[in-house]
Amino acid sequence: MSLDEKTAAAQASELHRRPPVPRWLLGLGPLVLIAILLGLFSLLNAPGLAKLSEGVPPKEEVAVEDIRLTPGQIEISVRNEGPDPVSIAQVNVSDYYAMFTQTRATMAPLESSTLTISYHWVDGDPYEVALVTSIGGKIPANIDAAALSPERGTSFFGLMTLLGIYVGVIPVALGMLWMPFVRRASTAWVRVLLGLTVGLLAFLAIDATLEAVDLVAGNGSFGGPMVVFLGTVTAYLILEGTDAWMRRHQKLSAAGQPAALPPQRLALLIAIGIGLHNLGEGLAIGSAYAVGSLALGASLIVGFAIHNTTEGLAIVTPLAKQPPGLARLALLGLTAGAPAAAGALIGATVYQPALAAFLLGIGAGAVAQVAVKLLPLLKDHTGKTFTPLTAAGVILGLAVMFTTGLLVQA
């Protein structure tokens, strides 16, 4: 076969070759097939498996999300966290079957309903409330001490903002007053203070995780405790990715590698991590006050102030050798403290346990990521991270947070 004949054959073969299938279509095809099969499976009501549920009673799992008391009424918000529909048929308040209305007669999985119960409660008295379902199941919603729920008006939102400032902004600002002391500290003392900061952040991460898991313990809606770890991992990876992106665009060192994390950026990361933690903390405080389980006494405010003051020290410690201006310090303080006010407002208005747990998880992941970033700064001239001084600083940080945390009786 001559060269011309081979060329003609190749051109003919090229003309008859099918165009390649687009890559996006190859990825979309299996998803469409899965959706069709799941739709048919649901439409046909799981053919062949119907006998598995014969004689098995419905599984009822209902979580109580909110209780509000108004004159002559008790409002209870519940959510169906089980796989089967649930209907509330009766409400028993301290052995008395009370009249009630509800926003949704039957709750599908993950749906919520608010019950308004007609009952003349007495201030300060405890009440055992049981929500009875249509198949006889009982959902406890006890009230330890009845108290009028606050009205959510302008004064209420102002109070929540003031509360956030008291427990978030002011304590962080007071802690940042250690800046002159940090600036004059020797290199060894700076490493001790950095160890103290690592201890503070580690305690915040552990404390936030435990508090978040406790919020959704026994509550399977929206994943239960899994939302805590989802928030933790999400925050950690986002901050890690952001830091990697910023390192990629910074100047390289003499060895051709990105230079060490600048102190001002590290201080910003600490402020962001603490701010995310304070967002979850404010959420818990606002929701507790909204349902009447938090007494805003002076001792409580003082306890939160002392507990959170150490967060300001954690922010300024990396700036020992490169002190910023007052404007940057103010920005760092607001970044760390202001989310407490936002969290209090959210918690007092649209509180939901799974959301609160997720935000607390985000705060835990954020402060944990920052604590890991601080570890390289603990190294001494021999390259050791944990020396007797730095180890003592970490232990001291854990001890300080634990001790001041005992002052907070929320």
Side-chain angles (χ1 to χ4, degrees), residues 60 131-139:
E60 295 182 330
L131 311 179
V132 184
T133 67
S134 57
I135 64 171
K138 291 187 177 181
I139 304 153

Side-chain angles (χ1 to χ4, degrees), residues 309-363:
T309 295
T310 51
E311 297 173 354
L313 174 62
I315 295 172
V316 300
T317 297
L319 303 173
K321 303 306 178 184
Q322 294 185 16
L326 290 178
R328 183 175 290 272
L329 281 176
L331 178 62
L332 291 173
L334 288 175
T335 300
L345 289 171
I346 296 172
T349 51
V350 290
Y351 177 71
Q352 210 283 330
L355 173 63
F358 179 72
L359 292 178
L360 283 169
I362 285 180

Side-chain angles (χ1 to χ4, degrees), residues 162-177 301 304-305 308-309 312 333-334 337-338:
L162 186 62
L163 174 61
I165 293 174
Y166 279 159
V167 303
V169 178
I170 293 178
V172 171
L174 291 175
M176 296 177 75
L177 294 178
I301 300 300
F304 270 113
N308 291 348
T309 295
L334 288 175

Side-chain angles (χ1 to χ4, degrees), residues 28-44:
L28 184 63
L31 294 177
V32 173
L33 182 59
I34 292 172
I36 292 174
L37 290 177
L38 290 178
L40 289 174
F41 188 79
S42 177
L43 184 64
L44 298 176

Side-chain angles (χ1 to χ4, degrees), residues 96-119:
Y96 171 78
Y97 285 95
M99 300 292 293
F100 71 98
T101 60
Q102 52 187 329
T103 57
R104 183 176 277 111
T106 301
M107 293 179 289
L110 295 183
E111 284 187 339
S112 63
S113 179
T114 299
L115 289 76
T116 303
I117 306 163
S118 298
Y119 189 85

Side-chain angles (χ1 to χ4, degrees), residues 248-327:
R248 190 182 307 160
H249 291 79
Q250 75 182 57
K251 295 181 179 179
L252 299 180
S253 64
Q257 298 294 328
L261 197 64
Q264 294 190 2
R265 186 190 303 170
L266 185 56
L268 179 60
L269 285 176
I270 294 175
I272 292 173
I274 291 175
L276 290 173
H277 172 268
N278 284 338
L279 176 67
E281 190 175 74
L283 192 76
I285 295 172
S287 61
Y289 178 71
V291 299
S293 61
L294 175 66
L296 290 178
S299 61
L300 178 64
I301 300 300
V302 171
F304 270 113
I306 296 175
H307 184 64
N308 291 348
T309 295
T310 51
E311 297 173 354
L313 174 62
I315 295 172
V316 300
T317 297
L319 303 173
K321 303 306 178 184
Q322 294 185 16
L326 290 178

